[in-house]
Amino acid sequence: MSIMGGGLHRMTPGKALKHATVLFFVLIWSVPTLGLLISSVRDKDQLAISGWWTSLSSKISNDVVRMGNADDQQQQDGRYVITGSVFEGSNKGTVLTFGLRSDELEAYQAGETADIGKGQSLTLTTTGQYTLSSNEAFTNSRGKRLFFVAKHSPRFTFENYYKVLTSEGIGRAFVNSATVTLPATFIPILIAAFTAYALAWIDFRGRATMLALVVGLLVVPLQMSLIPVLRLYNEVGGYFGFPAKSYPGIWLAHTAFGLPLAIYLLRNYMAGLPKEIMESARMDGASHFQIFRTIVLPLSVPALASFAIFQFLWVWNDLLVSLVFLGIADDKTVMTAQLKEMLGSRGNNWELLTSGAFITMIVPLIVFFSLQRFFVRGLLAGSVKGG
């Protein structure tokens, strides 16, 4: 008797390995992203003492503070009293036990009144408010140390993002990155689309040589061509009166570095379009520009979107080219350069670094997920079709 009946398919070892591999790569990408997101909204005090994977659980910590001195005392009901809190700022918690020595953290329960001798008593509430009282006036110029055990509940806040956007320069850098990235993505697509159509459907002398040159440029390292391109731009820009550090310079640089891949990808895709459509359009009297505008461009949306994702992600995350062509002026610093400056000057403020890093990531994530339905289709079509 047939049990499977053709309706269910057994998982072969090869398919299981494929699924496990995909799951592995999804995890190694998504887990750090999730960790960065959680860290960016955590309280800075908790972020400094525990990992993001423990963010949903309460923390037990052993802490010590120094209580007020004689200058802080007040007289109440015939006794001298010093009051205060063991928690500072947003670092709130629940006090469990306390003591006056490091080896006596659990000597007294929160809320109890401890008799500490010499007519002095100490009370510490669960909310962290302490009251130190004495029959005689305090004369110490330095407060006594108070050791306690506290439980801290998870705390999440958007204050980190507010600080980063308003006082750390990320807001301005975000605008600068958008100013660099959008033209540097659109310009090479515009040029490459016309060039790819010519290499795919227009028969002219030297077409094969030009295509071979484009393929050869794909293997030229960016670092090797960066300085020659910069010198050429400075010479040409100086002749026409363009400043050395300007947005047109970095637009042209990203365009030049991105064109070989754009032309190669779009040419392969356009060369695989049905030849019958092109011939029918030419028989109807359509010019090359009309064919390109009304037929080729609408059919090439997947390939255009694929390259747009590549170019946008590369330019948005670029640091080297921006440092060379823009520098680190306050009015032109991009996101990656601003994060580098924050890392250098605020290496201990992890809450600001994680918030700034996630702001940098959110735009590429939106672009990728918005265009991802074209991504694989455009890449595969451009890789298996050719003319």
Side-chain angles (χ1 to χ4, degrees), residues 3 30 68 246:
I3 298 178
S30 58
S246 63

Side-chain angles (χ1 to χ4, degrees), residues 43 90 157-164 352 355:
D43 180 79
S90 61
T157 177
F158 287 101
E159 183 181 355
N160 303 333
Y161 285 97
Y162 178 78
K163 289 182 178 179
V164 165
L352 300 183
S355 301

Side-chain angles (χ1 to χ4, degrees), residues 129-194:
Q129 300 295 322
Y130 66 82
T131 302
L132 178 63
S133 63
S134 174
N135 293 326
E136 300 179 357
F138 293 98
T139 59
N140 57 312
S141 59
R142 194 176 186 186
K144 295 179 179 292
R145 290 192 300 174
L146 173 59
F147 298 85
F148 63 97
V149 178
K151 180 176 71 172
H152 300 274
S153 301
R155 293 192 305 274
F156 299 97
T157 177
F158 287 101
E159 183 181 355
N160 303 333
Y161 285 97
Y162 178 78
K163 289 182 178 179
V164 165
L165 291 174
T166 56
S167 62
E168 300 299 329
I170 291 294
R172 177 62 186 173
F174 186 92
V175 176
N176 294 339
S177 290
T179 305
V180 171
T181 305
L182 294 179
T185 302
F186 176 76
I187 294 174
I189 289 178
L190 180 64
I191 299 174
F194 284 102

Side-chain angles (χ1 to χ4, degrees), residues 155-371:
R155 293 192 305 274
F156 299 97
T157 177
F158 287 101
E159 183 181 355
N160 303 333
Y161 285 97
Y162 178 78
K163 289 182 178 179
V164 165
L165 291 174
T166 56
S167 62
E168 300 299 329
I170 291 294
R172 177 62 186 173
F174 186 92
V175 176
N176 294 339
S177 290
T179 305
V180 171
T181 305
L182 294 179
T185 302
F186 176 76
I187 294 174
I189 289 178
L190 180 64
I191 299 174
F194 284 102
T195 307
Y197 175 80
L199 292 176
W201 292 105
I202 299 178
D203 189 11
F204 60 91
R205 181 177 299 179
R207 184 174 69 167
T209 303
M210 184 176 294
L211 182 60
L213 179 63
V214 170
V215 175
L217 289 174
L218 287 172
V219 300
V220 177
L222 169 67
Q223 294 81 0
M224 187 177 72
S225 57
L226 193 61
I227 300 304
V229 171
L230 177 62
R231 293 183 60 184
L232 177 63
Y233 170 76
N234 288 338
E235 293 175 1
V236 176
Y239 179 80
F240 288 101
F242 288 104
K245 304 291 185 179
S246 63
Y247 287 120
I250 196 170
W251 293 341
L252 294 176
H254 281 303
T255 298
F257 296 137
L259 271 179
L261 176 62
I263 294 173
Y264 179 74
L265 180 66
L266 294 178
R267 184 266 169 192
N268 284 353
Y269 188 91
M270 292 180 182
L273 296 177
K275 187 179 298 184
E276 295 79 7
I277 300 179
M278 308 298 177
E279 293 175 351
S280 298
R282 280 194 288 267
M283 289 179 63
D284 291 339
S287 64
H288 280 297
F289 181 74
Q290 290 174 326
I291 295 174
F292 172 77
R293 180 174 58 85
T294 60
I295 298 177
V296 175
L297 275 185
L299 293 177
S300 301
V301 169
L304 294 172
S306 297
F307 175 73
I309 292 175
F310 274 126
Q311 184 73 359
F312 187 94
L313 296 183
W314 174 56
V315 177
W316 184 270
N317 294 319
D318 168 71
L319 174 63
L320 178 61
V321 178
S322 64
L323 289 178
V324 172
F325 283 87
L326 280 184
I328 54 174
D330 292 338
D331 59 334
K332 296 178 182 177
T333 304
V334 297
M335 290 284 290
T336 50
Q338 187 65 36
L339 283 178
K340 183 182 74 69
E341 293 300 315
M342 289 177 60
L343 183 62
S345 61
R346 296 181 176 273
N348 295 327
N349 291 14
W350 292 108
E351 74 281 359
L352 300 183
L353 293 175
T354 53
S355 301
F358 196 79
I359 292 174
T360 305
M361 291 177 56
I362 192 64
V363 173
L365 287 175
I366 293 174
V367 171
F368 178 80
F369 287 115
S370 299
L371 301 178

Side-chain angles (χ1 to χ4, degrees), residues 60-71:
I60 303 296
S61 63
N62 299 335
D63 300 307
V64 58
V65 296
R66 193 172 290 277
M67 295 183 288
N69 55 25
D71 296 334

